[in-house]
Coordinates of all heavy atoms in Angstrom, one line a residue:
M1 N 25.5 -8.9 -55.9 CA 24.9 -10.0 -55.4 C 25.5 -11.3 -56.0 O 25.7 -12.3 -55.3 CB 23.4 -10.0 -55.6 CG 22.7 -11.2 -55.0 SD 21.0 -11.4 -55.5 CE 21.2 -12.1 -57.0
D2 N 25.8 -11.3 -57.3 CA 26.3 -12.5 -57.9 C 27.7 -12.8 -57.3 O 28.0 -14.0 -57.1 CB 26.5 -12.3 -59.4 CG 25.1 -12.2 -60.1 OD1 24.2 -12.8 -59.6 OD2 25.0 -11.6 -61.2
K3 N 28.5 -11.8 -57.1 CA 29.8 -12.0 -56.5 C 29.7 -12.6 -55.1 O 30.4 -13.5 -54.7 CB 30.6 -10.7 -56.4 CG 32.0 -10.8 -56.4 CD 32.7 -9.4 -56.4 CE 33.8 -9.4 -57.4 NZ 34.5 -8.1 -57.5
A4 N 28.8 -12.1 -54.3 CA 28.6 -12.6 -52.9 C 28.1 -14.0 -52.9 O 28.5 -14.9 -52.1 CB 27.6 -11.7 -52.1
A5 N 27.2 -14.3 -53.9 CA 26.7 -15.7 -54.0 C 27.8 -16.7 -54.4 O 27.9 -17.8 -53.9 CB 25.5 -15.8 -55.0
D6 N 28.7 -16.2 -55.3 CA 29.8 -17.1 -55.6 C 30.7 -17.4 -54.5 O 31.2 -18.5 -54.2 CB 30.7 -16.4 -56.8 CG 30.0 -16.4 -58.1 OD1 29.1 -17.3 -58.3 OD2 30.3 -15.6 -59.0
V7 N 31.0 -16.3 -53.7 CA 31.8 -16.5 -52.5 C 31.1 -17.5 -51.5 O 31.7 -18.4 -50.9 CB 32.1 -15.2 -51.8 CG1 32.7 -15.4 -50.4 CG2 33.0 -14.3 -52.6
G8 N 29.8 -17.3 -51.4 CA 29.0 -18.2 -50.5 C 29.1 -19.7 -51.0 O 29.2 -20.6 -50.2
R9 N 29.0 -19.9 -52.3 CA 29.1 -21.3 -52.8 C 30.4 -21.9 -52.5 O 30.5 -23.1 -52.2 CB 28.7 -21.2 -54.3 CG 27.2 -21.1 -54.6 CD 26.9 -21.4 -56.0 NE 27.1 -20.2 -56.8 CZ 26.2 -19.2 -56.9 NH1 25.1 -19.2 -56.2 NH2 26.4 -18.1 -57.7
R10 N 31.5 -21.1 -52.6 CA 32.8 -21.6 -52.3 C 32.9 -22.0 -50.9 O 33.5 -23.1 -50.5 CB 33.9 -20.6 -52.7 CG 34.2 -20.6 -54.2 CD 35.3 -19.7 -54.5 NE 34.8 -18.4 -54.2 CZ 35.3 -17.2 -54.7 NH1 36.3 -17.2 -55.5 NH2 34.8 -16.1 -54.4
L11 N 32.4 -21.2 -50.0 CA 32.4 -21.5 -48.6 C 31.6 -22.7 -48.2 O 31.9 -23.5 -47.4 CB 31.9 -20.3 -47.8 CG 32.9 -19.1 -47.7 CD1 32.2 -17.9 -47.1 CD2 34.1 -19.5 -46.9
V12 N 30.5 -22.9 -48.9 CA 29.6 -24.1 -48.7 C 30.4 -25.3 -49.0 O 30.4 -26.3 -48.2 CB 28.4 -24.0 -49.7 CG1 27.7 -25.4 -49.8 CG2 27.4 -23.0 -49.1
K13 N 31.2 -25.3 -50.0 CA 32.0 -26.5 -50.4 C 33.1 -26.7 -49.3 O 33.3 -27.8 -48.8 CB 32.7 -26.3 -51.7 CG 31.7 -26.5 -52.9 CD 32.4 -26.2 -54.2 CE 31.4 -26.3 -55.3 NZ 32.0 -26.0 -56.6
Q14 N 33.8 -25.6 -48.9 CA 34.8 -25.7 -47.9 C 34.3 -26.2 -46.5 O 35.0 -27.0 -45.8 CB 35.5 -24.4 -47.7 CG 36.4 -24.0 -48.9 CD 37.0 -22.6 -48.6 OE1 36.9 -22.0 -47.6 NE2 37.7 -22.1 -49.6
L15 N 33.2 -25.7 -46.2 CA 32.6 -26.0 -44.8 C 31.6 -27.1 -44.8 O 31.0 -27.4 -43.7 CB 32.0 -24.7 -44.2 CG 33.0 -23.5 -44.1 CD1 32.2 -22.3 -43.7 CD2 34.1 -23.8 -43.2
S16 N 31.3 -27.7 -45.9 CA 30.3 -28.8 -46.0 C 29.0 -28.4 -45.5 O 28.3 -29.1 -44.8 CB 30.8 -30.1 -45.3 OG 32.0 -30.5 -45.8
C17 N 28.6 -27.2 -46.0 CA 27.3 -26.7 -45.6 C 26.2 -27.1 -46.6 O 26.5 -27.7 -47.6 CB 27.3 -25.1 -45.5 SG 28.4 -24.5 -44.3
K18 N 25.0 -26.7 -46.3 CA 23.9 -27.2 -47.1 C 23.8 -26.5 -48.5 O 23.5 -27.1 -49.5 CB 22.6 -27.0 -46.4 CG 21.4 -27.8 -46.8 CD 20.3 -27.7 -45.8 CE 19.3 -28.8 -46.1 NZ 18.2 -28.8 -45.2
G19 N 23.9 -25.2 -48.6 CA 23.7 -24.5 -49.8 C 23.6 -23.0 -49.7 O 23.5 -22.5 -48.6
V20 N 23.5 -22.3 -50.8 CA 23.3 -20.9 -50.9 C 22.2 -20.6 -51.8 O 22.0 -21.1 -52.9 CB 24.6 -20.2 -51.4 CG1 24.4 -18.7 -51.7 CG2 25.8 -20.4 -50.5
T21 N 21.3 -19.7 -51.3 CA 20.2 -19.2 -52.2 C 20.3 -17.6 -52.2 O 20.9 -17.0 -51.3 CB 18.9 -19.6 -51.7 OG1 18.6 -19.1 -50.4 CG2 18.7 -21.1 -51.7
S22 N 19.7 -17.1 -53.2 CA 19.7 -15.6 -53.3 C 18.4 -15.2 -54.0 O 17.8 -16.0 -54.7 CB 20.9 -15.1 -54.0 OG 21.0 -15.6 -55.4
C23 N 18.1 -13.9 -53.8 CA 16.9 -13.4 -54.4 C 17.2 -11.9 -54.8 O 17.4 -11.1 -53.9 CB 15.7 -13.4 -53.5 SG 14.2 -12.8 -54.2
P24 N 17.3 -11.6 -56.1 CA 17.6 -10.2 -56.4 C 16.5 -9.2 -56.3 O 16.7 -8.0 -56.3 CB 18.0 -10.3 -57.9 CG 17.3 -11.5 -58.4 CD 17.2 -12.4 -57.2
N25 N 15.3 -9.7 -56.1 CA 14.1 -8.8 -56.1 C 13.4 -8.9 -54.7 O 12.6 -9.8 -54.5 CB 13.1 -9.2 -57.2 CG 11.9 -8.2 -57.3 OD1 12.0 -7.1 -56.8 ND2 10.8 -8.7 -57.8
I26 N 13.8 -8.0 -53.8 CA 13.2 -7.9 -52.5 C 12.6 -6.6 -52.2 O 12.9 -5.6 -52.9 CB 14.3 -8.3 -51.4 CG1 15.4 -7.2 -51.4 CG2 14.8 -9.7 -51.6 CD1 16.3 -7.3 -50.2
A27 N 11.9 -6.5 -51.1 CA 11.4 -5.2 -50.6 C 11.7 -5.2 -49.1 O 11.4 -6.2 -48.4 CB 9.9 -5.1 -50.9
K28 N 12.2 -4.1 -48.7 CA 12.4 -3.9 -47.2 C 11.4 -2.8 -46.7 O 11.3 -1.8 -47.3 CB 13.9 -3.4 -47.0 CG 14.1 -3.1 -45.5 CD 15.5 -2.4 -45.4 CE 15.6 -1.8 -44.0 NZ 16.6 -0.8 -43.9
L29 N 10.7 -3.2 -45.7 CA 9.7 -2.3 -45.1 C 10.1 -2.1 -43.6 O 10.6 -3.0 -43.0 CB 8.3 -2.9 -45.2 CG 7.9 -3.2 -46.7 CD1 7.8 -4.7 -46.9 CD2 6.7 -2.5 -47.0
S30 N 9.8 -0.9 -43.1 CA 10.1 -0.6 -41.7 C 9.0 0.1 -41.1 O 8.2 0.9 -41.7 CB 11.3 0.3 -41.7 OG 12.4 -0.2 -42.3
V31 N 8.8 -0.2 -39.8 CA 8.0 0.6 -38.9 C 8.9 1.1 -37.9 O 9.7 0.4 -37.2 CB 6.9 -0.3 -38.2 CG1 6.1 0.4 -37.2 CG2 6.0 -0.9 -39.3
S32 N 8.9 2.5 -37.7 CA 9.8 3.1 -36.8 C 9.2 4.2 -36.0 O 8.2 4.8 -36.4 CB 11.0 3.6 -37.6 OG 10.6 4.6 -38.5
G33 N 9.8 4.5 -34.9 CA 9.4 5.6 -34.0 C 9.7 5.3 -32.6 O 9.9 4.1 -32.2
V34 N 9.9 6.4 -31.8 CA 10.2 6.2 -30.4 C 9.1 5.4 -29.6 O 9.4 4.9 -28.6 CB 10.6 7.5 -29.7 CG1 11.8 8.1 -30.3 CG2 9.4 8.5 -29.8
G35 N 7.9 5.4 -30.2 CA 6.8 4.7 -29.5 C 7.0 3.2 -29.4 O 6.4 2.6 -28.6
L36 N 7.9 2.7 -30.2 CA 8.2 1.2 -30.2 C 8.7 0.8 -28.8 O 8.5 -0.3 -28.4 CB 9.2 0.8 -31.2 CG 8.6 0.7 -32.6 CD1 9.8 0.6 -33.7 CD2 7.8 -0.6 -32.7
R37 N 9.4 1.8 -28.1 CA 10.0 1.4 -26.8 C 8.9 1.1 -25.8 O 9.0 0.3 -24.9 CB 10.8 2.6 -26.3 CG 12.1 2.8 -27.0 CD 12.8 4.0 -26.4 NE 14.1 4.2 -27.1 CZ 14.9 5.1 -26.8 NH1 14.6 6.1 -25.9 NH2 16.0 5.2 -27.4
S38 N 7.8 1.9 -25.9 CA 6.7 1.7 -24.8 C 5.5 1.0 -25.3 O 4.6 0.7 -24.5 CB 6.3 3.1 -24.3 OG 5.9 3.9 -25.4
H39 N 5.3 0.8 -26.6 CA 4.1 0.1 -27.2 C 4.5 -1.2 -27.7 O 4.9 -1.4 -28.9 CB 3.5 1.0 -28.2 CG 2.9 2.3 -27.7 ND1 3.7 3.4 -27.5 CD2 1.7 2.6 -27.4 CE1 2.9 4.4 -27.1 NE2 1.7 3.9 -27.0
T40 N 4.4 -2.2 -26.9 CA 4.8 -3.6 -27.3 C 4.0 -4.2 -28.4 O 4.4 -5.1 -29.0 CB 4.8 -4.5 -26.1 OG1 3.5 -4.5 -25.5 CG2 5.8 -4.1 -25.0
G41 N 2.8 -3.7 -28.7 CA 1.9 -4.3 -29.7 C 2.3 -3.8 -31.1 O 1.6 -4.3 -32.0
V42 N 3.2 -3.0 -31.3 CA 3.5 -2.5 -32.6 C 4.0 -3.6 -33.5 O 3.5 -3.8 -34.7 CB 4.6 -1.3 -32.6 CG1 5.0 -0.9 -34.0 CG2 4.0 -0.1 -31.9
A43 N 4.9 -4.4 -33.1 CA 5.4 -5.5 -33.9 C 4.3 -6.5 -34.2 O 4.2 -7.0 -35.3 CB 6.6 -6.2 -33.2
I44 N 3.5 -6.8 -33.2 CA 2.4 -7.7 -33.4 C 1.5 -7.2 -34.5 O 1.0 -7.9 -35.4 CB 1.6 -7.9 -32.0 CG1 2.5 -8.6 -31.0 CG2 0.3 -8.6 -32.3 CD1 2.0 -8.6 -29.6
R45 N 1.1 -5.9 -34.4 CA 0.3 -5.3 -35.4 C 0.9 -5.4 -36.8 O 0.2 -5.7 -37.8 CB 0.0 -3.8 -35.1 CG -1.1 -3.3 -35.9 CD -1.3 -1.8 -35.8 NE -1.3 -1.1 -34.6 CZ -1.7 0.2 -34.4 NH1 -2.0 0.9 -35.4 NH2 -1.6 0.7 -33.2
M46 N 2.2 -5.2 -36.9 CA 2.9 -5.3 -38.2 C 2.8 -6.7 -38.8 O 2.5 -6.8 -39.9 CB 4.4 -4.9 -38.0 CG 5.2 -4.9 -39.2 SD 6.9 -4.5 -38.8 CE 7.6 -4.2 -40.4
F47 N 3.2 -7.7 -38.0 CA 3.2 -9.0 -38.5 C 1.8 -9.6 -38.8 O 1.6 -10.3 -39.7 CB 4.0 -10.0 -37.5 CG 5.4 -9.7 -37.4 CD1 6.0 -9.2 -36.3 CD2 6.2 -9.8 -38.6 CE1 7.4 -8.9 -36.2 CE2 7.6 -9.5 -38.5 CZ 8.2 -9.1 -37.4
Q48 N 0.9 -9.1 -38.0 CA -0.5 -9.6 -38.2 C -1.0 -9.0 -39.5 O -1.7 -9.7 -40.3 CB -1.4 -9.1 -37.1 CG -2.8 -9.7 -37.2 CD -3.6 -9.5 -35.9 OE1 -3.2 -8.8 -35.0 NE2 -4.8 -10.2 -35.9
A49 N -0.7 -7.7 -39.8 CA -1.1 -7.1 -41.1 C -0.5 -7.8 -42.3 O -1.2 -8.0 -43.3 CB -0.8 -5.6 -41.1
L50 N 0.8 -8.1 -42.2 CA 1.4 -8.8 -43.3 C 0.8 -10.2 -43.5 O 0.6 -10.6 -44.6 CB 2.9 -8.9 -43.0 CG 3.6 -7.5 -43.0 CD1 5.1 -7.7 -42.6 CD2 3.6 -6.9 -44.4
A51 N 0.6 -10.9 -42.4 CA 0.0 -12.2 -42.5 C -1.4 -12.2 -43.1 O -1.7 -13.0 -44.0 CB -0.1 -12.9 -41.1
E52 N -2.2 -11.2 -42.7 CA -3.6 -11.1 -43.3 C -3.5 -10.8 -44.7 O -4.4 -11.1 -45.5 CB -4.4 -10.1 -42.5 CG -4.8 -10.6 -41.1 CD -5.4 -9.5 -40.2 OE1 -5.6 -8.4 -40.7 OE2 -5.7 -9.8 -39.1
A53 N -2.4 -10.1 -45.2 CA -2.3 -9.7 -46.6 C -1.7 -10.9 -47.4 O -1.5 -10.8 -48.6 CB -1.4 -8.5 -46.7
G54 N -1.3 -12.0 -46.7 CA -0.7 -13.1 -47.4 C 0.7 -12.9 -47.8 O 1.2 -13.5 -48.7
V55 N 1.4 -12.0 -47.0 CA 2.8 -11.7 -47.3 C 3.8 -12.4 -46.4 O 3.7 -12.3 -45.1 CB 3.1 -10.2 -47.3 CG1 4.5 -9.9 -47.5 CG2 2.2 -9.5 -48.2
N56 N 4.6 -13.3 -46.9 CA 5.6 -14.0 -46.1 C 6.8 -13.1 -45.8 O 7.3 -12.5 -46.6 CB 6.0 -15.3 -46.8 CG 6.9 -16.2 -46.0 OD1 6.5 -16.5 -44.9 ND2 8.1 -16.5 -46.5
V57 N 7.2 -13.1 -44.5 CA 8.4 -12.4 -44.1 C 9.6 -13.3 -44.2 O 9.6 -14.3 -43.6 CB 8.2 -11.9 -42.6 CG1 9.5 -11.2 -42.2 CG2 7.0 -10.9 -42.6
D58 N 10.6 -12.8 -45.0 CA 11.8 -13.6 -45.2 C 12.9 -13.3 -44.1 O 13.6 -14.2 -43.8 CB 12.4 -13.4 -46.6 CG 11.5 -13.9 -47.7 OD1 10.8 -14.9 -47.4 OD2 11.4 -13.3 -48.8
M59 N 13.0 -12.1 -43.7 CA 14.0 -11.7 -42.7 C 13.4 -10.6 -41.9 O 12.6 -9.8 -42.3 CB 15.3 -11.1 -43.4 CG 16.0 -12.2 -44.2 SD 17.6 -11.7 -45.0 CE 17.8 -10.0 -44.9
V60 N 13.9 -10.5 -40.6 CA 13.5 -9.5 -39.7 C 14.8 -9.0 -39.0 O 15.7 -9.7 -38.6 CB 12.6 -10.1 -38.6 CG1 12.2 -9.0 -37.5 CG2 11.4 -10.8 -39.2
S61 N 14.8 -7.6 -38.8 CA 15.8 -7.1 -37.9 C 15.1 -6.0 -37.1 O 14.1 -5.4 -37.5 CB 17.0 -6.5 -38.7 OG 16.6 -5.3 -39.4
T62 N 15.6 -5.8 -35.9 CA 15.0 -4.8 -34.9 C 16.0 -4.0 -34.2 O 17.2 -4.3 -34.2 CB 14.1 -5.6 -33.9 OG1 15.0 -6.3 -33.1 CG2 13.1 -6.4 -34.5
S63 N 15.5 -2.9 -33.7 CA 16.3 -2.0 -32.8 C 15.3 -1.5 -31.8 O 14.2 -1.8 -31.8 CB 17.0 -0.9 -33.6 OG 16.1 0.1 -34.0
E64 N 15.8 -0.6 -31.0 CA 14.9 0.0 -30.0 C 13.8 0.8 -30.6 O 12.7 1.0 -30.1 CB 15.7 0.9 -29.0 CG 16.5 0.1 -28.1 CD 17.2 1.1 -27.1 OE1 17.3 2.3 -27.3 OE2 17.7 0.6 -26.1
V65 N 14.0 1.4 -31.8 CA 13.1 2.3 -32.4 C 12.6 1.8 -33.8 O 12.0 2.6 -34.5 CB 13.6 3.7 -32.5 CG1 13.8 4.3 -31.1 CG2 14.9 3.8 -33.3
R66 N 13.0 0.6 -34.2 CA 12.6 0.2 -35.6 C 12.5 -1.3 -35.7 O 13.2 -2.0 -35.1 CB 13.7 0.7 -36.6 CG 13.4 0.3 -38.0 CD 14.3 0.9 -39.0 NE 14.1 2.4 -39.0 CZ 15.0 3.3 -39.2 NH1 16.2 3.0 -39.4 NH2 14.7 4.6 -39.1
V67 N 11.5 -1.7 -36.5 CA 11.3 -3.1 -36.9 C 11.4 -3.1 -38.5 O 10.6 -2.4 -39.1 CB 10.0 -3.7 -36.5 CG1 9.9 -5.2 -36.9 CG2 9.9 -3.7 -35.0
N68 N 12.4 -3.9 -39.0 CA 12.5 -4.0 -40.5 C 12.2 -5.4 -40.9 O 12.5 -6.3 -40.2 CB 14.0 -3.7 -40.9 CG 14.5 -2.4 -40.4 OD1 13.9 -1.3 -40.8 ND2 15.5 -2.4 -39.6
V69 N 11.5 -5.5 -42.0 CA 11.3 -6.8 -42.6 C 11.7 -6.8 -44.1 O 11.6 -5.8 -44.7 CB 9.8 -7.3 -42.5 CG1 9.4 -7.4 -41.0 CG2 8.9 -6.3 -43.2
V70 N 12.1 -8.0 -44.6 CA 12.3 -8.2 -46.0 C 11.3 -9.2 -46.5 O 11.1 -10.2 -45.9 CB 13.8 -8.7 -46.2 CG1 14.0 -9.0 -47.7 CG2 14.8 -7.6 -45.8
V71 N 10.7 -8.8 -47.6 CA 9.7 -9.7 -48.3 C 10.1 -9.8 -49.7 O 10.9 -9.0 -50.3 CB 8.3 -9.2 -48.1 CG1 7.9 -9.0 -46.6 CG2 8.1 -7.9 -48.9
D72 N 9.5 -10.8 -50.4 CA 9.7 -11.0 -51.8 C 9.3 -9.8 -52.5 O 8.2 -9.2 -52.2 CB 8.9 -12.2 -52.3 CG 9.2 -12.6 -53.7 OD1 9.2 -11.8 -54.6 OD2 9.4 -13.8 -53.9
G73 N 10.1 -9.3 -53.4 CA 9.8 -8.0 -54.1 C 8.4 -8.0 -54.8 O 7.8 -6.9 -54.9
Q74 N 8.0 -9.1 -55.3 CA 6.7 -9.1 -56.0 C 5.5 -8.8 -55.0 O 4.4 -8.4 -55.5 CB 6.4 -10.4 -56.7 CG 6.2 -11.6 -55.8 CD 6.0 -12.9 -56.6 OE1 5.4 -12.9 -57.7 NE2 6.4 -14.0 -56.0
Y75 N 5.7 -8.9 -53.7 CA 4.7 -8.6 -52.7 C 5.0 -7.3 -52.0 O 4.2 -6.9 -51.1 CB 4.6 -9.7 -51.7 CG 4.3 -11.1 -52.3 CD1 5.2 -12.1 -52.4 CD2 3.1 -11.3 -52.9 CE1 5.0 -13.3 -53.0 CE2 2.8 -12.5 -53.6 CZ 3.7 -13.5 -53.6 OH 3.5 -14.7 -54.2
G76 N 5.9 -6.5 -52.5 CA 6.3 -5.3 -51.8 C 5.2 -4.3 -51.7 O 4.9 -3.7 -50.7
D77 N 4.5 -4.0 -52.8 CA 3.4 -3.1 -52.8 C 2.2 -3.5 -51.9 O 1.7 -2.7 -51.2 CB 2.9 -2.8 -54.2 CG 3.8 -2.1 -55.1 OD1 4.7 -1.3 -54.6 OD2 3.8 -2.2 -56.4
R78 N 1.9 -4.8 -52.0 CA 0.8 -5.3 -51.1 C 1.2 -5.2 -49.7 O 0.4 -4.8 -48.8 CB 0.6 -6.8 -51.4 CG -0.6 -7.4 -50.6 CD -0.8 -8.9 -50.7 NE -0.6 -9.4 -52.0 CZ -0.6 -10.7 -52.3 NH1 -0.7 -11.6 -51.3 NH2 -0.5 -11.2 -53.5
A79 N 2.5 -5.5 -49.3 CA 3.0 -5.4 -48.0 C 2.9 -3.9 -47.5 O 2.4 -3.7 -46.4 CB 4.4 -5.9 -47.8
L80 N 3.3 -3.0 -48.3 CA 3.3 -1.6 -47.9 C 1.9 -1.1 -47.7 O 1.6 -0.4 -46.7 CB 4.0 -0.8 -49.0 CG 4.0 0.7 -48.8 CD1 4.7 1.1 -47.5 CD2 4.7 1.4 -50.0
E81 N 1.0 -1.5 -48.6 CA -0.4 -1.1 -48.4 C -1.0 -1.7 -47.1 O -1.8 -1.0 -46.4 CB -1.2 -1.4 -49.6 CG -0.9 -0.6 -50.8 CD -1.0 0.9 -50.5 OE1 -2.0 1.4 -49.9 OE2 -0.1 1.6 -50.9
S82 N -0.7 -2.9 -46.8 CA -1.2 -3.5 -45.6 C -0.7 -2.8 -44.3 O -1.4 -2.6 -43.4 CB -0.9 -5.0 -45.5 OG 0.5 -5.3 -45.3
L83 N 0.6 -2.4 -44.4 CA 1.2 -1.7 -43.2 C 0.6 -0.3 -43.1 O 0.3 0.2 -42.0 CB 2.7 -1.6 -43.3 CG 3.4 -3.0 -43.2 CD1 4.9 -2.8 -43.2 CD2 3.0 -3.7 -41.9
R84 N 0.4 0.4 -44.2 CA -0.2 1.7 -44.2 C -1.6 1.6 -43.6 O -2.0 2.5 -42.8 CB -0.3 2.3 -45.6 CG 1.0 2.9 -46.1 CD 0.8 3.5 -47.4 NE 2.1 4.1 -47.8 CZ 2.4 4.3 -49.1 NH1 1.6 4.0 -50.1 NH2 3.6 4.9 -49.4
A85 N -2.4 0.6 -44.0 CA -3.7 0.4 -43.4 C -3.7 0.1 -41.9 O -4.5 0.6 -41.1 CB -4.5 -0.7 -44.2
A86 N -2.7 -0.7 -41.5 CA -2.6 -1.1 -40.1 C -2.2 0.0 -39.2 O -2.6 0.0 -38.1 CB -1.6 -2.3 -40.0
F87 N -1.5 1.0 -39.8 CA -0.9 2.1 -39.0 C -1.5 3.4 -39.4 O -0.9 4.4 -39.1 CB 0.6 2.1 -39.0 CG 1.2 0.9 -38.3 CD1 1.6 -0.2 -39.1 CD2 1.4 0.9 -37.0 CE1 2.2 -1.3 -38.4 CE2 2.0 -0.2 -36.3 CZ 2.4 -1.3 -37.0
V88 N -2.7 3.4 -40.0 CA -3.3 4.7 -40.5 C -3.5 5.6 -39.3 O -3.3 6.9 -39.5 CB -4.6 4.4 -41.3 CG1 -5.7 3.9 -40.3 CG2 -5.0 5.6 -42.0
D89 N -3.7 5.1 -38.1 CA -4.0 6.0 -37.0 C -2.7 6.7 -36.5 O -2.7 7.7 -35.8 CB -4.5 5.2 -35.8 CG -3.7 4.0 -35.4 OD1 -3.2 3.3 -36.2 OD2 -3.4 3.9 -34.1
A90 N -1.5 6.1 -36.9 CA -0.2 6.7 -36.5 C 0.4 7.5 -37.5 O 1.4 8.2 -37.2 CB 0.7 5.5 -36.1
L91 N -0.1 7.5 -38.8 CA 0.5 8.3 -39.8 C 0.0 9.7 -39.7 O -1.1 10.0 -39.5 CB 0.1 7.7 -41.2 CG 0.7 6.3 -41.4 CD1 0.1 5.7 -42.8 CD2 2.2 6.3 -41.5
G92 N 1.0 10.6 -40.0 CA 0.7 12.1 -39.9 C 0.3 12.7 -41.1 O 0.2 12.4 -42.2

């Protein structure tokens, strides 16, 4: 990460960009399954659970069968528990 941040800082200078930030302590959480294709409310349920737990989402990526979020690592356990509670009906 340090090496990538150094490269980013050099590019910032070359391209006159605003800046580079980094965070070494993150948590990545995912909700996945083929049901995401037909159940449009899955992402809504995910983001609502995280919001109600007071967890800020820093990054999001999606595919046809998965929604991934990155949160500050200090909130990783809280985020995971909120998602487990939100999807308890779908866990086997």
